[in-house]
Amino acid sequence: MAQHQFQTEVSRLLHLIIHSLYSNREIFLRELVSNASDALDKLKYLTVADDVYKSVSFDPRIDISFNKDEKTLTISDNGIGMNEADLIESLGTIARSGTRMFLEKLAEDAKKDSNLIGQFGVGFYSAFMVAEKIEVITRKAAEEAAWKWSSDGKDGFEINSAQRDSQGTTVILYLSEEGTEYTNRWSIEDIIKRYSNHVAFPIYLTCDEKEWDDKGNEKGSTTKTERINSGTAIWRRVKSEITEEDYNEFYKQIGHDSDVPLQYIHTKAEGTIEYTTLFYIPKKAPFDLYNVDYKPGVKLYVKRVFITDDDKELMPTYLRFVRGVIDSEDLPLNVSREILQQNKILFNIKNASVKKLLSEFKQMADNAVSGGDEAKTKWETFIENFNRPLKEGLYQDFGNRSAIQELVRFKSTTEEEWTSFAGYVSRMKSDQKHIYYITGGDERTLRASPLLEAYRAKEIEVLIMDDDIDELVIPMLHSYRKETPGEDGKIDSQSWELKAVNRSGADEELGEKKDKAAEKEAKPVIEKIKKALGDRVKDVKLSRRLHDSPSCIVADENDPSMQMAQMLKAMGQAPMADAKPILEVNGEHPIVLSLKDIDDEEQIADISGVLFDQALLVEGIKLKDPSDFVKRLNRLISNK
């Protein structure tokens, strides 16, 4: 007998699953059937691709049975099975990559029929919601030894030797009082039809069926075994025969989501390459969307044979939120993951799928304009959840950059709703040459930035870019290019340069001519400030963009912005982040004007330091020495 202890966090996690996570307990059966289906998928693939398993007898099926008297429910499969090491790894460690996050999420939003179980890979343990004890008897394919795992879900688990005639896994639930409602045919059949009807393998239910005589008296019972799922791969069926409910239920099964999808895209391609795809867009972003070790959402099949659901090459990274299946007629059944990465057929399928998805997103955007409130809400939901990963595509996917440019959305100084580059261009002033934008980490701070004062005065729209990724993507994008079909059938093309308002040369189009007299008059003040600040700044200039504020900071055209410098430092690239900002001052502001008649170097240093530090603060940049700023400010106030 081998006794094992759960980790402390695992015990707490199990307690939360059992008592807090789901108000709808029937989800446990969907999870156990999905696990059985995965085991069958894996063995089906190995019997074709791996010589070790080619001799294994394989007649795939899932069996469910129950015993009312003993209060047990049994789910069995003849899939890949597990050995002792697999049991310890798979059933002894829960939510390895996200236990803490999982616990935090539960604490915030307990007892909701969310999809936390499926998201964190703890579906098996949902069975403890209805079971006081669970036994797992399993034997790995091509091995002789069988094993039994058992646990009450509290203190730990035991692993012992066992007997099993063939490969596969049997899960026996010893039901609690609350779980006895699942010891009847109608409950089980209803759950399977709702959640697992499209599982590709046959699911059989074995139960006793009572027999009655002519007078209505029970005369005995017979044990019957009947198939209770359709077992057809939904993506292989004719689209006209599939209902929206069918699509939604299949999504819930493969996406481990309790909600319906935002959109589904079903495509069958015929010709040089034959394949079928069924893609889903979730309503909410997956919890691991921004994790390096995110779980891919697309499964690969070859002629309905499962190949992999863990290949990040099936979809580009920026479309990692997509869920669904790709089923190819042309890939070899024994394709390995190494071959997948270099396979030309899969490369072509992937490219075609990406273009199809981007086309559907564009249609969704167009419908939002002309399709009414429901279409508008759908598009807004999509953008709220997936706008940021789409922006990643601007630098990841050069071939589809033009299409992605039309999809990404931004906030604006003049519009209440999200806007596109095309929308911005349509509102541009007739003499405007550039698209202006401001980047930073906080929308509220950006809207209050002094850098926008002159643009507001000139009624020039500025895009608000508060995603951290904007600092990386937009400068690299350089310009927005719009192509429209002309009357002669040719494509008319026009492009607009993207200009950051926090760059030293961005104010050239403001129409403010340099006042040489004002520059000459302000020169002594500029020199005082420049001397006082020393190497804290690259330069000090008289500003053409400030109306009300005394100062602002900008970056030289060839230097990283202050926000970018902070990001580079956080990534350990300090040498690249040492570029100093340029301080611009408003020559008509009283604080700046006061420096004309001041000769006290300490007072000049205090005023100059405050002008610089407040310009940093307004842009949301952390001061290197906050105490020095406070001391300077206090001295200036006390001198008043």
Side-chain angles (χ1 to χ4, degrees), residues 100-381:
R100 287 188 181 276
M101 191 187 302
F102 182 72
L103 293 172
E104 290 169 5
K105 183 67 177 176
L106 281 182
E108 294 170 5
D109 199 17
K111 213 148 192 172
K112 291 286 183 68
D113 284 339
S114 58
N115 179 37
L116 294 176
I117 279 185
Q119 290 179 344
F120 284 82
V122 293
F124 169 81
Y125 305 94
S126 64
F128 280 111
M129 292 187 294
V130 298
E132 295 175 342
K133 178 184 175 182
I134 300 177
E135 289 181 354
V136 178
I137 300 171
T138 184
R139 174 179 165 184
K140 192 162 188 174
E143 295 184 12
E144 296 297 325
W147 303 91
K148 181 172 78 170
W149 179 99
S150 61
S151 174
D152 60 3
K154 297 176 182 176
D155 300 322
F157 58 93
E158 293 180 1
I159 296 180
N160 303 303
S161 296
Q163 294 295 319
R164 202 177 197 279
D165 294 336
S166 60
Q167 86 279 345
T169 300
T170 299
V171 180
I172 305 170
L173 309 183
Y174 293 86
L175 300 170
S176 62
E177 287 301 320
E178 293 83 0
T180 55
E181 65 179 289
Y182 303 107
T183 55
N184 70 80
R185 171 186 174 180
W186 312 113
S187 293
I188 294 172
E189 193 168 347
D190 177 61
I191 293 169
I192 294 300
K193 287 192 180 298
R194 274 193 290 133
Y195 294 117
S196 307
N197 198 42
H198 300 296
V199 168
F201 305 104
I203 302 173
Y204 293 96
L205 175 61
T206 299
C207 60
D208 292 334
E209 189 171 291
K210 293 180 180 180
E211 296 180 345
W212 310 87
D213 60 22
D214 295 338
K215 296 180 179 181
N217 298 317
E218 183 179 339
K219 65 177 185 178
S221 63
T222 57
T223 300
K224 289 188 176 182
T225 299
E226 295 180 346
R227 182 169 178 171
I228 56 175
N229 73 315
S230 66
T232 58
I234 185 174
W235 64 88
R236 302 286 291 240
R237 289 164 54 190
V238 179
K239 284 193 275 187
S240 60
E241 297 176 355
I242 309 173
T243 66
E244 186 168 350
E245 184 179 359
D246 290 334
Y247 279 120
N248 291 342
E249 289 305 325
F250 181 66
Y251 165 73
K252 291 177 182 180
Q253 176 196 326
I254 65 167
H256 298 283
D257 198 344
S258 59
D259 205 351
V260 298
L262 185 69
Q263 180 92 334
Y264 57 82
I265 303 104
H266 191 180
T267 305
K268 182 174 177 59
E270 296 177 335
T272 307
I273 302 176
E274 290 189 18
Y275 64 91
T276 301
T277 60
L278 176 53
F279 297 128
Y280 292 93
I281 312 303
K283 277 188 176 179
K284 294 181 180 178
F287 86 98
D288 60 350
L289 186 63
Y290 300 112
N291 290 3
V292 175
D293 59 345
Y294 70 90
K295 176 71 174 174
V298 176
K299 299 173 182 281
L300 176 65
Y301 289 78
V302 175
K303 299 175 183 176
R304 287 188 57 179
V305 176
F306 173 77
I307 303 299
T308 181
D309 61 355
D310 193 29
D311 195 327
K312 294 182 179 180
E313 297 299 319
L314 295 177
M315 273 288 144
T317 307
Y318 71 94
L319 293 178
R320 58 190 176 275
F321 55 86
V322 174
R323 300 294 184 250
V325 298
I326 296 173
D327 191 348
S328 169
E329 295 293 321
D330 302 295
L331 284 169
L333 278 173
N334 62 347
V335 66
S336 68
R337 293 186 183 181
E338 290 74 22
I339 296 173
L340 277 178
Q341 296 172 5
Q342 306 167 12
N343 190 279
K344 187 175 181 180
I345 295 172
L346 188 60
F347 177 79
N348 290 334
I349 293 174
K350 175 182 174 181
N351 282 349
S353 297
V354 169
K355 290 183 183 299
K356 178 63 177 177
L357 284 165
L358 295 178
S359 173
E360 289 291 331
F361 299 160
K362 180 63 167 61
Q363 186 61 52
M364 202 188 303
D366 293 342
N367 291 343
V369 177
S370 58
D373 292 341
E374 185 177 346
K376 183 179 179 182
T377 300
K378 177 185 283 191
W379 174 245
E380 289 174 349
T381 300

Side-chain angles (χ1 to χ4, degrees), residues 395-417:
Y395 70 86
Q396 288 181 2
D397 191 351
F398 183 81
N400 291 302
R401 181 178 291 178
S402 296
I404 300 171
Q405 276 188 343
E406 300 300 330
L407 295 172
V408 293
R409 295 294 186 264
F410 307 96
K411 293 157 189 172
S412 161
T413 55
T414 63
E415 301 299 304
E416 293 183 2
E417 300 177 346

Side-chain angles (χ1 to χ4, degrees), residues 27-37 75 123-124 127 171 173:
I27 296 297
F28 83 92
L29 188 54
R30 178 192 72 183
E31 297 298 327
L32 295 181
V33 169
S34 292
N35 289 345
S37 176
I75 299 93
F124 169 81
V171 180
L173 309 183

Side-chain angles (χ1 to χ4, degrees), residues 414-626:
T414 63
E415 301 299 304
E416 293 183 2
E417 300 177 346
W418 292 97
T419 188
S420 62
F421 283 130
Y424 181 102
V425 168
S426 70
R427 296 186 295 271
M428 280 175 57
K429 300 170 77 70
S430 58
D431 58 344
Q432 187 176 333
K433 300 175 183 177
H434 307 300
I435 296 175
Y436 292 100
Y437 68 92
I438 184 170
T439 58
D442 179 72
E443 179 186 354
R444 185 176 178 182
T445 300
L446 292 178
R447 290 188 182 278
S449 173
L451 295 168
L452 300 179
E453 290 175 1
Y455 296 92
R456 285 199 185 94
K458 297 290 184 180
E459 297 183 342
I460 295 176
E461 182 178 359
V462 178
L463 296 177
I464 304 291
M465 300 190 180
D466 57 345
D467 274 337
D468 53 1
I469 196 172
D470 293 329
E471 284 278 3
L472 300 168
V473 172
I474 304 304
M476 179 218 62
L477 195 60
H478 186 66
S479 65
Y480 165 63
R481 185 182 186 87
K482 186 177 182 181
E483 296 181 345
T484 53
E487 294 181 0
D488 55 358
K490 295 182 179 180
I491 300 296
D492 294 329
S493 179
Q494 190 175 1
S495 64
W496 296 265
E497 185 180 354
L498 300 168
K499 274 194 172 270
V501 301
N502 57 349
R503 293 286 173 183
S504 58
D507 57 353
E508 294 174 358
E509 198 178 318
L510 291 174
E512 300 280 358
K513 294 182 179 180
K514 289 186 177 181
D515 188 332
K516 292 185 178 181
E519 284 188 337
K520 184 177 180 180
E521 186 178 351
K523 187 174 181 180
V525 173
I526 299 294
E527 292 298 327
K528 288 181 180 181
I529 298 173
K530 189 181 296 187
K531 180 181 177 182
L533 293 177
D535 61 2
R536 294 182 69 187
V537 295
K538 187 169 188 175
D539 199 1
V540 179
K541 295 181 178 180
L542 187 66
S543 179
R544 289 185 292 177
R545 70 185 93 209
L546 294 174
H547 284 205
D548 302 316
S549 301
S551 61
C552 67
I553 55 165
V554 296
D556 188 79
E557 289 291 343
N558 300 314
D559 291 339
S561 67
M562 291 295 285
Q563 290 86 358
M564 177 61 77
Q566 287 185 329
M567 291 173 63
L568 291 171
K569 285 182 179 179
M571 292 187 290
Q573 302 182 34
M576 296 178 62
D578 285 339
K580 296 176 175 61
I582 296 171
L583 179 69
E584 291 191 359
V585 296
N586 181 353
E588 298 179 2
H589 196 278
I591 294 177
V592 177
L593 289 172
S594 69
L595 285 167
K596 278 186 180 181
D597 303 321
I598 298 175
D599 295 319
D600 185 329
E601 290 190 359
E602 183 177 349
Q603 192 175 3
I604 293 172
D606 285 343
I607 293 173
S608 301
V610 168
L611 285 172
F612 180 64
D613 285 344
Q614 74 172 10
L616 293 174
L617 288 171
V618 168
E619 297 303 320
I621 298 168
K622 186 178 180 180
L623 300 182
K624 287 184 178 179
D625 190 353

